[in-house]
Amino acid sequence: MNEIIRKRKSIRKYDLTPLDSETLNNIKDYIKHIKPLYPDIRYSIEITNKTAGIFNIKAPHYLIFGSEEKEGAYENIGFIGQQIDLYLSESGLGACWLGASKPEDKENSALPFVICTAFGKANEPLHRELSDFKRKPLTEISDGSDERLEAARLAPSATNSQNWYFSARDGKIRCYRKKTKPLIAVFYKKLNSIDMGIALCHIASESNDFNYLKETGVPEIKGHVYMGTVKGNTL
C-alpha cells in the first residue's frame, strides 16, 4: 500500500508562518497536473490565507475548492483534493479537510464554493502509526475481497463517519454511500459525496488502469445509494 496512506493524518495544529514562495509554487504546479475523476466537470482551486467558520482551524494557508453544479461534482472535488492532501503529506506538510468552513470573500470565486482545506507546516506530529487509525473494520464497510479496500478504509471522512460501502466482485468495486436523514441531508449529502471521492482517490492510488463509471442494473443495498463502479486491477 502507498506508504503515505498508511501514515497520513489530519493536521489541526499549524506553524502560522507562511510557506516560502518556492514551496507554494511547487504546490501550484502540482495542482496544474492533477487528474480529475470527471474531466468534463469544471472546477477551481484557489489558495488564500483566511477562511471563516465556527469550527475553523488556524493555518497559514487554505485551499478553496469550487465547482460547477453538476452530477458527480462533489466526488470529483474529493478525488482532486485528496491527491493534494497526499502530496502535501509526502512533502512534509500537513493538511486537513474543513467541512464547516468557508471563504471570507465568496465573490472572488468564479465557481460555486464546495469545500476548503487547511495546510502548512505541522505544529504536531505529521504522521502516525497504522495502529493509531480509528476506523471501522472492513466487514462493516464492504463485502467481497479486493486489496484496495484497505486503502479506502484508511481514507478520512467527515466526523470520521465512513458513510460508504464497497462491494467487490469479479475485479470490480461497486461504491455506495449511506442515505442521509432529511434533517441533515443538505449538509451531509455533500460531505458524504466528497468523502466518496476521497476514498476513490485512495483506491486509484492502488490501481492500474483505474476507471470509474456508472453501471445500470447494479444490486441495491438497503439504506444506501449507488454511486459508481471502479474497474481496474491492483498494482
Side-chain angles (χ1 to χ4, degrees):
M1 188 193 304
N2 183 316
E3 182 181 353
I4 297 301
I5 289 177
R6 292 172 59 92
K7 63 183 184 180
R8 175 222 166 264
K9 63 179 284 193
S10 297
I11 299 299
R12 294 175 172 82
K13 295 180 181 179
Y14 293 89
D15 178 343
L16 299 183
T17 305
L19 299 175
D20 60 80
S21 58
E22 181 181 358
T23 300
L24 285 174
N25 285 335
N26 287 340
I27 294 169
K28 292 174 183 177
D29 186 62
Y30 178 81
I31 289 173
K32 291 177 183 178
H33 298 92
I34 278 179
K35 183 179 179 180
L37 185 65
Y38 293 112
D40 62 329
I41 298 179
R42 292 187 298 121
Y43 68 91
S44 61
I45 305 173
E46 302 169 18
I47 296 178
T48 183
N49 59 4
K50 287 184 180 180
T51 57
I54 57 175
F55 299 113
N56 198 38
I57 290 175
K58 290 184 178 181
H61 305 285
Y62 302 88
L63 294 168
I64 307 298
F65 295 93
S67 176
E68 65 175 316
E69 296 174 344
K70 194 173 183 179
E71 183 179 358
Y74 298 150
E75 300 98 280
N76 198 49
I77 290 298
F79 189 82
I80 291 165
Q82 190 61 11
Q83 290 178 65
I84 303 172
D85 186 300
L86 295 176
Y87 166 79
L88 292 170
S89 186
E90 188 175 19
S91 301
L93 299 171
C96 183
W97 289 92
L98 303 177
S101 297
K102 58 185 179 180
E104 284 197 340
D105 188 358
K106 294 183 180 180
E107 294 182 359
N108 288 339
S109 299
L111 294 169
F113 168 70
V114 177
I115 198 168
C116 57
T117 65
F119 74 96
K121 292 181 181 178
N123 210 10
E124 61 177 292
L126 178 62
H127 296 131
R128 57 182 159 181
E129 297 296 326
L130 187 59
S131 59
D132 294 330
F133 279 82
K134 296 179 180 179
R135 297 289 191 270
K136 297 175 182 177
L138 278 176
T139 52
E140 287 189 26
I141 62 168
S142 67
D143 63 69
S145 178
D146 192 296
E147 294 176 1
R148 295 168 290 179
L149 293 180
E150 178 62 11
R153 188 182 77 88
L154 296 178
S157 58
T159 64
N160 203 24
S161 57
Q162 296 180 267
N163 285 325
W164 46 51
Y165 195 86
F166 305 101
S167 183
R169 295 285 188 279
D170 303 321
K172 298 179 181 179
I173 302 175
R174 292 191 174 105
C175 307
Y176 303 78
R177 66 166 173 80
K178 282 187 178 179
K179 292 180 179 178
T180 49
K181 296 178 180 179
L183 291 178
I184 61 173
V186 174
F187 183 66
Y188 274 101
K189 181 180 178 181
K190 178 177 83 168
L191 292 182
N192 290 346
S193 296
I194 292 171
D195 291 345
M196 179 60 74
I198 293 172
L200 287 169
C201 172
H202 281 206
I203 293 173
S205 73
E206 301 297 303
S207 301
N208 279 324
D209 303 320
F210 174 86
N211 289 290
Y212 185 67
L213 63 147
K214 296 279 188 179
E215 292 184 300
T216 58
V218 299
E220 293 184 4
I221 296 179
K222 185 177 180 180
H224 291 74
V225 177
Y226 169 70
M227 301 290 285
T229 299
V230 172
K231 289 186 177 182
N233 302 315
T234 59
L235 293 175

